């Protein structure tokens, strides 16, 4: 089985309100810059639920296709785990 190199990085803290458009744009720009530094075409980034929806809105509305083509947003693990946990409790 052929493997691919994997790396996990955390972006530095941005001292700004998390859901402001400027902050979301900064997060995406830094994510693309990290992809360039790692020499990868696409990069997966985890976001919490509130920021994830803002990231998606910015990706869809931005006329520049860079964010749509290079950043793959992923809903962070905590909301997913809680969803499964709630499903398990209902049964």
């Amino acid at each position: 089985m052929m493997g691919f190199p994997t790396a996990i990085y955390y972006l530095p803290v941005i001292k700004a309100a998390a859901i402001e458009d400027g902050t979301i744009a900064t997060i995406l720009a830094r994510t693309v810059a990290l992809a360039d530094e790692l020499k990868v075409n696409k990069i997966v980034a985890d976001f919490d639920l509130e920021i994830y929806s803002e990231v998606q809105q910015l990706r869809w509305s931005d006329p520049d296709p860079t964010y749509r083509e290079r950043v793959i947003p992923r809903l962070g693990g905590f909301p997913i785990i809680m969803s499964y946990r709630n499903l398990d409790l209902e049964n």
Side-chain angles (χ1 to χ4, degrees):
M1 184 167 134
M2 187 172 148
F4 294 96
T6 301
I8 298 174
Y9 290 87
Y10 295 94
L11 295 175
V13 173
I14 300 171
K15 294 183 180 183
I19 60 170
E20 289 181 3
D21 288 342
T23 306
I24 301 297
T26 300
I27 292 168
L28 290 173
R30 288 186 181 183
T31 303
V32 169
L34 180 59
D36 290 341
E37 183 180 321
L38 296 171
K39 296 179 173 75
V40 295
N41 189 37
K42 296 182 187 272
I43 191 164
V44 177
D46 279 359
F47 299 98
D48 71 6
L49 185 59
E50 188 173 5
I51 295 175
Y52 175 84
S53 63
E54 296 293 326
V55 165
Q56 288 291 44
Q57 288 179 23
L58 182 60
R59 287 178 70 235
W60 295 330
S61 65
D62 193 342
D64 180 2
T66 302
Y67 299 147
R68 283 190 304 277
E69 293 174 356
R70 299 197 59 202
V71 178
I72 302 167
R74 178 182 174 275
L75 188 57
F78 185 73
I80 293 170
I81 290 170
M82 293 307 293
S83 296
Y84 283 117
R85 182 178 177 270
N86 288 338
L87 286 174
D88 188 41
L89 293 174
E90 291 174 3
N91 294 328

PDB file of all heavy atoms in Angstrom, residues 54-81:
ATOM      1  N   GLU A  54     -19.524  30.164   8.044  1.00  0.00           N
ATOM      2  CA  GLU A  54     -19.013  31.430   7.509  1.00  0.00           C
ATOM      3  C   GLU A  54     -17.953  31.181   6.426  1.00  0.00           C
ATOM      4  O   GLU A  54     -17.911  31.888   5.415  1.00  0.00           O
ATOM      5  CB  GLU A  54     -18.428  32.285   8.640  1.00  0.00           C
ATOM      6  CG  GLU A  54     -19.437  32.723   9.674  1.00  0.00           C
ATOM      7  CD  GLU A  54     -20.455  33.701   9.130  1.00  0.00           C
ATOM      8  OE1 GLU A  54     -20.113  34.528   8.261  1.00  0.00           O
ATOM      9  OE2 GLU A  54     -21.610  33.636   9.576  1.00  0.00           O
ATOM     10  N   VAL A  55     -17.106  30.195   6.641  1.00  0.00           N
ATOM     11  CA  VAL A  55     -16.081  29.841   5.647  1.00  0.00           C
ATOM     12  C   VAL A  55     -16.754  29.418   4.346  1.00  0.00           C
ATOM     13  O   VAL A  55     -16.369  29.855   3.253  1.00  0.00           O
ATOM     14  CB  VAL A  55     -15.161  28.715   6.181  1.00  0.00           C
ATOM     15  CG1 VAL A  55     -14.342  28.086   5.070  1.00  0.00           C
ATOM     16  CG2 VAL A  55     -14.248  29.253   7.269  1.00  0.00           C
ATOM     17  N   GLN A  56     -17.772  28.574   4.449  1.00  0.00           N
ATOM     18  CA  GLN A  56     -18.475  28.120   3.247  1.00  0.00           C
ATOM     19  C   GLN A  56     -19.123  29.296   2.509  1.00  0.00           C
ATOM     20  O   GLN A  56     -19.056  29.373   1.277  1.00  0.00           O
ATOM     21  CB  GLN A  56     -19.528  27.071   3.602  1.00  0.00           C
ATOM     22  CG  GLN A  56     -18.945  25.742   3.999  1.00  0.00           C
ATOM     23  CD  GLN A  56     -18.284  25.027   2.840  1.00  0.00           C
ATOM     24  OE1 GLN A  56     -17.542  25.587   2.040  1.00  0.00           O
ATOM     25  NE2 GLN A  56     -18.544  23.736   2.747  1.00  0.00           N
ATOM     26  N   GLN A  57     -19.751  30.205   3.242  1.00  0.00           N
ATOM     27  CA  GLN A  57     -20.376  31.366   2.595  1.00  0.00           C
ATOM     28  C   GLN A  57     -19.339  32.202   1.858  1.00  0.00           C
ATOM     29  O   GLN A  57     -19.587  32.649   0.732  1.00  0.00           O
ATOM     30  CB  GLN A  57     -21.109  32.215   3.628  1.00  0.00           C
ATOM     31  CG  GLN A  57     -22.373  31.575   4.129  1.00  0.00           C
ATOM     32  CD  GLN A  57     -23.076  32.420   5.174  1.00  0.00           C
ATOM     33  OE1 GLN A  57     -22.888  33.621   5.244  1.00  0.00           O
ATOM     34  NE2 GLN A  57     -23.887  31.775   5.991  1.00  0.00           N
ATOM     35  N   LEU A  58     -18.182  32.416   2.483  1.00  0.00           N
ATOM     36  CA  LEU A  58     -17.127  33.197   1.829  1.00  0.00           C
ATOM     37  C   LEU A  58     -16.595  32.464   0.602  1.00  0.00           C
ATOM     38  O   LEU A  58     -16.376  33.070  -0.447  1.00  0.00           O
ATOM     39  CB  LEU A  58     -16.000  33.504   2.810  1.00  0.00           C
ATOM     40  CG  LEU A  58     -14.856  34.358   2.265  1.00  0.00           C
ATOM     41  CD1 LEU A  58     -15.374  35.719   1.809  1.00  0.00           C
ATOM     42  CD2 LEU A  58     -13.778  34.525   3.295  1.00  0.00           C
ATOM     43  N   ARG A  59     -16.397  31.151   0.712  1.00  0.00           N
ATOM     44  CA  ARG A  59     -15.903  30.370  -0.433  1.00  0.00           C
ATOM     45  C   ARG A  59     -16.871  30.465  -1.609  1.00  0.00           C
ATOM     46  O   ARG A  59     -16.463  30.595  -2.753  1.00  0.00           O
ATOM     47  CB  ARG A  59     -15.722  28.902  -0.044  1.00  0.00           C
ATOM     48  CG  ARG A  59     -14.544  28.633   0.840  1.00  0.00           C
ATOM     49  CD  ARG A  59     -14.441  27.170   1.246  1.00  0.00           C
ATOM     50  NE  ARG A  59     -14.068  26.351   0.109  1.00  0.00           N
ATOM     51  CZ  ARG A  59     -14.761  25.291  -0.307  1.00  0.00           C
ATOM     52  NH1 ARG A  59     -15.846  24.907   0.315  1.00  0.00           N
ATOM     53  NH2 ARG A  59     -14.351  24.590  -1.339  1.00  0.00           N
ATOM     54  N   TRP A  60     -18.167  30.364  -1.342  1.00  0.00           N
ATOM     55  CA  TRP A  60     -19.169  30.383  -2.412  1.00  0.00           C
ATOM     56  C   TRP A  60     -19.344  31.765  -3.033  1.00  0.00           C
ATOM     57  O   TRP A  60     -19.653  31.879  -4.210  1.00  0.00           O
ATOM     58  CB  TRP A  60     -20.508  29.892  -1.889  1.00  0.00           C
ATOM     59  CG  TRP A  60     -20.513  28.467  -1.462  1.00  0.00           C
ATOM     60  CD1 TRP A  60     -19.734  27.439  -1.962  1.00  0.00           C
ATOM     61  CD2 TRP A  60     -21.307  27.876  -0.443  1.00  0.00           C
ATOM     62  NE1 TRP A  60     -20.011  26.259  -1.311  1.00  0.00           N
ATOM     63  CE2 TRP A  60     -20.974  26.497  -0.374  1.00  0.00           C
ATOM     64  CE3 TRP A  60     -22.275  28.353   0.427  1.00  0.00           C
ATOM     65  CZ2 TRP A  60     -21.576  25.617   0.518  1.00  0.00           C
ATOM     66  CZ3 TRP A  60     -22.871  27.480   1.317  1.00  0.00           C
ATOM     67  CH2 TRP A  60     -22.520  26.141   1.355  1.00  0.00           C
ATOM     68  N   SER A  61     -19.159  32.820  -2.226  1.00  0.00           N
ATOM     69  CA  SER A  61     -19.423  34.166  -2.733  1.00  0.00           C
ATOM     70  C   SER A  61     -18.199  34.840  -3.339  1.00  0.00           C
ATOM     71  O   SER A  61     -18.331  35.819  -4.078  1.00  0.00           O
ATOM     72  CB  SER A  61     -19.985  35.049  -1.608  1.00  0.00           C
ATOM     73  OG  SER A  61     -19.005  35.230  -0.602  1.00  0.00           O
ATOM     74  N   ASP A  62     -17.007  34.358  -3.050  1.00  0.00           N
ATOM     75  CA  ASP A  62     -15.783  34.988  -3.550  1.00  0.00           C
ATOM     76  C   ASP A  62     -15.615  34.691  -5.043  1.00  0.00           C
ATOM     77  O   ASP A  62     -15.595  33.527  -5.448  1.00  0.00           O
ATOM     78  CB  ASP A  62     -14.584  34.446  -2.767  1.00  0.00           C
ATOM     79  CG  ASP A  62     -13.317  35.262  -2.982  1.00  0.00           C
ATOM     80  OD1 ASP A  62     -13.263  36.026  -3.970  1.00  0.00           O
ATOM     81  OD2 ASP A  62     -12.397  35.133  -2.175  1.00  0.00           O
ATOM     82  N   PRO A  63     -15.472  35.739  -5.875  1.00  0.00           N
ATOM     83  CA  PRO A  63     -15.292  35.491  -7.308  1.00  0.00           C
ATOM     84  C   PRO A  63     -13.962  34.812  -7.646  1.00  0.00           C
ATOM     85  O   PRO A  63     -13.846  34.143  -8.666  1.00  0.00           O
ATOM     86  CB  PRO A  63     -15.365  36.888  -7.937  1.00  0.00           C
ATOM     87  CG  PRO A  63     -15.164  37.848  -6.831  1.00  0.00           C
ATOM     88  CD  PRO A  63     -15.531  37.152  -5.548  1.00  0.00           C
ATOM     89  N   ASP A  64     -12.964  34.963  -6.774  1.00  0.00           N
ATOM     90  CA  ASP A  64     -11.675  34.285  -6.984  1.00  0.00           C
ATOM     91  C   ASP A  64     -11.845  32.823  -6.567  1.00  0.00           C
ATOM     92  O   ASP A  64     -12.200  32.534  -5.422  1.00  0.00           O
ATOM     93  CB  ASP A  64     -10.604  34.959  -6.134  1.00  0.00           C
ATOM     94  CG  ASP A  64      -9.232  34.320  -6.285  1.00  0.00           C
ATOM     95  OD1 ASP A  64      -9.084  33.370  -7.079  1.00  0.00           O
ATOM     96  OD2 ASP A  64      -8.302  34.778  -5.605  1.00  0.00           O
ATOM     97  N   PRO A  65     -11.594  31.872  -7.463  1.00  0.00           N
ATOM     98  CA  PRO A  65     -11.841  30.458  -7.149  1.00  0.00           C
ATOM     99  C   PRO A  65     -10.781  29.809  -6.254  1.00  0.00           C
ATOM    100  O   PRO A  65     -10.903  28.635  -5.931  1.00  0.00           O
ATOM    101  CB  PRO A  65     -11.853  29.806  -8.527  1.00  0.00           C
ATOM    102  CG  PRO A  65     -10.928  30.647  -9.339  1.00  0.00           C
ATOM    103  CD  PRO A  65     -11.127  32.057  -8.840  1.00  0.00           C
ATOM    104  N   THR A  66      -9.773  30.560  -5.815  1.00  0.00           N
ATOM    105  CA  THR A  66      -8.671  29.965  -5.053  1.00  0.00           C
ATOM    106  C   THR A  66      -9.163  29.210  -3.832  1.00  0.00           C
ATOM    107  O   THR A  66      -8.787  28.065  -3.609  1.00  0.00           O
ATOM    108  CB  THR A  66      -7.656  31.036  -4.620  1.00  0.00           C
ATOM    109  OG1 THR A  66      -7.164  31.695  -5.779  1.00  0.00           O
ATOM    110  CG2 THR A  66      -6.496  30.433  -3.851  1.00  0.00           C
ATOM    111  N   TYR A  67     -10.000  29.841  -3.012  1.00  0.00           N
ATOM    112  CA  TYR A  67     -10.464  29.187  -1.784  1.00  0.00           C
ATOM    113  C   TYR A  67     -11.335  27.978  -2.095  1.00  0.00           C
ATOM    114  O   TYR A  67     -11.256  26.959  -1.422  1.00  0.00           O
ATOM    115  CB  TYR A  67     -11.232  30.155  -0.893  1.00  0.00           C
ATOM    116  CG  TYR A  67     -10.427  31.345  -0.413  1.00  0.00           C
ATOM    117  CD1 TYR A  67     -11.016  32.569  -0.216  1.00  0.00           C
ATOM    118  CD2 TYR A  67      -9.065  31.231  -0.146  1.00  0.00           C
ATOM    119  CE1 TYR A  67     -10.294  33.665   0.234  1.00  0.00           C
ATOM    120  CE2 TYR A  67      -8.326  32.314   0.291  1.00  0.00           C
ATOM    121  CZ  TYR A  67      -8.949  33.526   0.485  1.00  0.00           C
ATOM    122  OH  TYR A  67      -8.226  34.605   0.927  1.00  0.00           O
ATOM    123  N   ARG A  68     -12.181  28.077  -3.120  1.00  0.00           N
ATOM    124  CA  ARG A  68     -13.047  26.947  -3.490  1.00  0.00           C
ATOM    125  C   ARG A  68     -12.225  25.770  -3.993  1.00  0.00           C
ATOM    126  O   ARG A  68     -12.555  24.616  -3.740  1.00  0.00           O
ATOM    127  CB  ARG A  68     -14.046  27.371  -4.567  1.00  0.00           C
ATOM    128  CG  ARG A  68     -15.195  28.190  -4.048  1.00  0.00           C
ATOM    129  CD  ARG A  68     -16.278  28.367  -5.095  1.00  0.00           C
ATOM    130  NE  ARG A  68     -15.831  28.951  -6.347  1.00  0.00           N
ATOM    131  CZ  ARG A  68     -15.683  30.248  -6.575  1.00  0.00           C
ATOM    132  NH1 ARG A  68     -15.957  31.115  -5.624  1.00  0.00           N
ATOM    133  NH2 ARG A  68     -15.279  30.685  -7.748  1.00  0.00           N
ATOM    134  N   GLU A  69     -11.172  26.046  -4.726  1.00  0.00           N
ATOM    135  CA  GLU A  69     -10.394  24.977  -5.349  1.00  0.00           C
ATOM    136  C   GLU A  69      -9.318  24.389  -4.437  1.00  0.00           C
ATOM    137  O   GLU A  69      -8.958  23.233  -4.586  1.00  0.00           O
ATOM    138  CB  GLU A  69      -9.740  25.496  -6.630  1.00  0.00           C
ATOM    139  CG  GLU A  69     -10.758  25.827  -7.713  1.00  0.00           C
ATOM    140  CD  GLU A  69     -10.133  26.480  -8.925  1.00  0.00           C
ATOM    141  OE1 GLU A  69      -8.913  26.761  -8.918  1.00  0.00           O
ATOM    142  OE2 GLU A  69     -10.882  26.732  -9.885  1.00  0.00           O
ATOM    143  N   ARG A  70      -8.801  25.182  -3.497  1.00  0.00           N
ATOM    144  CA  ARG A  70      -7.637  24.719  -2.744  1.00  0.00           C
ATOM    145  C   ARG A  70      -7.904  24.379  -1.283  1.00  0.00           C
ATOM    146  O   ARG A  70      -7.164  23.609  -0.691  1.00  0.00           O
ATOM    147  CB  ARG A  70      -6.538  25.780  -2.818  1.00  0.00           C
ATOM    148  CG  ARG A  70      -6.107  26.002  -4.280  1.00  0.00           C
ATOM    149  CD  ARG A  70      -4.810  26.686  -4.409  1.00  0.00           C
ATOM    150  NE  ARG A  70      -3.750  25.946  -3.770  1.00  0.00           N
ATOM    151  CZ  ARG A  70      -2.619  26.513  -3.376  1.00  0.00           C
ATOM    152  NH1 ARG A  70      -2.413  27.788  -3.559  1.00  0.00           N
ATOM    153  NH2 ARG A  70      -1.679  25.780  -2.794  1.00  0.00           N
ATOM    154  N   VAL A  71      -8.934  24.958  -0.687  1.00  0.00           N
ATOM    155  CA  VAL A  71      -9.227  24.703   0.726  1.00  0.00           C
ATOM    156  C   VAL A  71     -10.439  23.781   0.820  1.00  0.00           C
ATOM    157  O   VAL A  71     -11.495  24.070   0.262  1.00  0.00           O
ATOM    158  CB  VAL A  71      -9.502  26.014   1.494  1.00  0.00           C
ATOM    159  CG1 VAL A  71      -9.851  25.716   2.952  1.00  0.00           C
ATOM    160  CG2 VAL A  71      -8.310  26.954   1.408  1.00  0.00           C
ATOM    161  N   ILE A  72     -10.261  22.671   1.521  1.00  0.00           N
ATOM    162  CA  ILE A  72     -11.356  21.736   1.748  1.00  0.00           C
ATOM    163  C   ILE A  72     -11.767  21.889   3.211  1.00  0.00           C
ATOM    164  O   ILE A  72     -11.096  21.372   4.109  1.00  0.00           O
ATOM    165  CB  ILE A  72     -10.923  20.283   1.452  1.00  0.00           C
ATOM    166  CG1 ILE A  72     -10.439  20.178   0.005  1.00  0.00           C
ATOM    167  CG2 ILE A  72     -12.061  19.315   1.755  1.00  0.00           C
ATOM    168  CD1 ILE A  72      -9.710  18.901  -0.298  1.00  0.00           C
ATOM    169  N   PRO A  73     -12.849  22.625   3.468  1.00  0.00           N
ATOM    170  CA  PRO A  73     -13.266  22.801   4.865  1.00  0.00           C
ATOM    171  C   PRO A  73     -13.908  21.523   5.397  1.00  0.00           C
ATOM    172  O   PRO A  73     -14.615  20.820   4.683  1.00  0.00           O
ATOM    173  CB  PRO A  73     -14.272  23.948   4.800  1.00  0.00           C
ATOM    174  CG  PRO A  73     -14.715  24.016   3.408  1.00  0.00           C
ATOM    175  CD  PRO A  73     -13.669  23.375   2.554  1.00  0.00           C
ATOM    176  N   ARG A  74     -13.626  21.231   6.644  1.00  0.00           N
ATOM    177  CA  ARG A  74     -14.172  20.039   7.291  1.00  0.00           C
ATOM    178  C   ARG A  74     -14.754  20.475   8.615  1.00  0.00           C
ATOM    179  O   ARG A  74     -14.135  21.229   9.352  1.00  0.00           O
ATOM    180  CB  ARG A  74     -13.052  19.023   7.515  1.00  0.00           C
ATOM    181  CG  ARG A  74     -13.490  17.771   8.221  1.00  0.00           C
ATOM    182  CD  ARG A  74     -12.278  16.860   8.444  1.00  0.00           C
ATOM    183  NE  ARG A  74     -12.627  15.720   9.241  1.00  0.00           N
ATOM    184  CZ  ARG A  74     -12.643  15.696  10.577  1.00  0.00           C
ATOM    185  NH1 ARG A  74     -12.348  16.772  11.246  1.00  0.00           N
ATOM    186  NH2 ARG A  74     -12.971  14.608  11.221  1.00  0.00           N
ATOM    187  N   LEU A  75     -15.957  20.016   8.880  1.00  0.00           N
ATOM    188  CA  LEU A  75     -16.568  20.306  10.165  1.00  0.00           C
ATOM    189  C   LEU A  75     -15.758  19.600  11.240  1.00  0.00           C
ATOM    190  O   LEU A  75     -15.479  18.403  11.131  1.00  0.00           O
ATOM    191  CB  LEU A  75     -18.018  19.825  10.176  1.00  0.00           C
ATOM    192  CG  LEU A  75     -18.858  20.207  11.381  1.00  0.00           C
ATOM    193  CD1 LEU A  75     -18.888  21.720  11.570  1.00  0.00           C
ATOM    194  CD2 LEU A  75     -20.260  19.676  11.222  1.00  0.00           C
ATOM    195  N   GLY A  76     -15.351  20.337  12.251  1.00  0.00           N
ATOM    196  CA  GLY A  76     -14.496  19.795  13.298  1.00  0.00           C
ATOM    197  C   GLY A  76     -15.071  18.559  13.974  1.00  0.00           C
ATOM    198  O   GLY A  76     -16.265  18.279  13.893  1.00  0.00           O
ATOM    199  N   GLY A  77     -14.217  17.833  14.637  1.00  0.00           N
ATOM    200  CA  GLY A  77     -14.592  16.558  15.222  1.00  0.00           C
ATOM    201  C   GLY A  77     -15.615  16.635  16.333  1.00  0.00           C
ATOM    202  O   GLY A  77     -16.465  15.761  16.464  1.00  0.00           O
ATOM    203  N   PHE A  78     -15.597  17.680  17.155  1.00  0.00           N
ATOM    204  CA  PHE A  78     -16.499  17.739  18.298  1.00  0.00           C
ATOM    205  C   PHE A  78     -17.968  17.738  17.889  1.00  0.00           C
ATOM    206  O   PHE A  78     -18.745  16.938  18.427  1.00  0.00           O
ATOM    207  CB  PHE A  78     -16.170  18.946  19.183  1.00  0.00           C
ATOM    208  CG  PHE A  78     -16.995  18.996  20.435  1.00  0.00           C
ATOM    209  CD1 PHE A  78     -16.739  18.103  21.470  1.00  0.00           C
ATOM    210  CD2 PHE A  78     -18.008  19.909  20.571  1.00  0.00           C
ATOM    211  CE1 PHE A  78     -17.499  18.137  22.623  1.00  0.00           C
ATOM    212  CE2 PHE A  78     -18.779  19.948  21.717  1.00  0.00           C
ATOM    213  CZ  PHE A  78     -18.518  19.056  22.755  1.00  0.00           C
ATOM    214  N   PRO A  79     -18.404  18.595  16.944  1.00  0.00           N
ATOM    215  CA  PRO A  79     -19.818  18.538  16.539  1.00  0.00           C
ATOM    216  C   PRO A  79     -20.214  17.191  15.946  1.00  0.00           C
ATOM    217  O   PRO A  79     -21.322  16.709  16.167  1.00  0.00           O
ATOM    218  CB  PRO A  79     -19.953  19.651  15.494  1.00  0.00           C
ATOM    219  CG  PRO A  79     -18.840  20.581  15.790  1.00  0.00           C
ATOM    220  CD  PRO A  79     -17.722  19.727  16.307  1.00  0.00           C
ATOM    221  N   ILE A  80     -19.301  16.559  15.235  1.00  0.00           N
ATOM    222  CA  ILE A  80     -19.607  15.254  14.645  1.00  0.00           C
ATOM    223  C   ILE A  80     -19.777  14.209  15.740  1.00  0.00           C
ATOM    224  O   ILE A  80     -20.724  13.417  15.737  1.00  0.00           O
ATOM    225  CB  ILE A  80     -18.503  14.845  13.643  1.00  0.00           C
ATOM    226  CG1 ILE A  80     -18.529  15.785  12.437  1.00  0.00           C
ATOM    227  CG2 ILE A  80     -18.682  13.393  13.209  1.00  0.00           C
ATOM    228  CD1 ILE A  80     -17.363  15.629  11.503  1.00  0.00           C
ATOM    229  N   ILE A  81     -18.869  14.204  16.714  1.00  0.00           N
ATOM    230  CA  ILE A  81     -18.968  13.250  17.828  1.00  0.00           C
ATOM    231  C   ILE A  81     -20.269  13.463  18.592  1.00  0.00           C
ATOM    232  O   ILE A  81     -20.962  12.504  18.949  1.00  0.00           O
ATOM    233  CB  ILE A  81     -17.746  13.390  18.759  1.00  0.00           C
ATOM    234  CG1 ILE A  81     -16.493  12.885  18.059  1.00  0.00           C
ATOM    235  CG2 ILE A  81     -17.966  12.649  20.073  1.00  0.00           C
ATOM    236  CD1 ILE A  81     -15.208  13.207  18.795  1.00  0.00           C
TER     237      ILE A  81
END
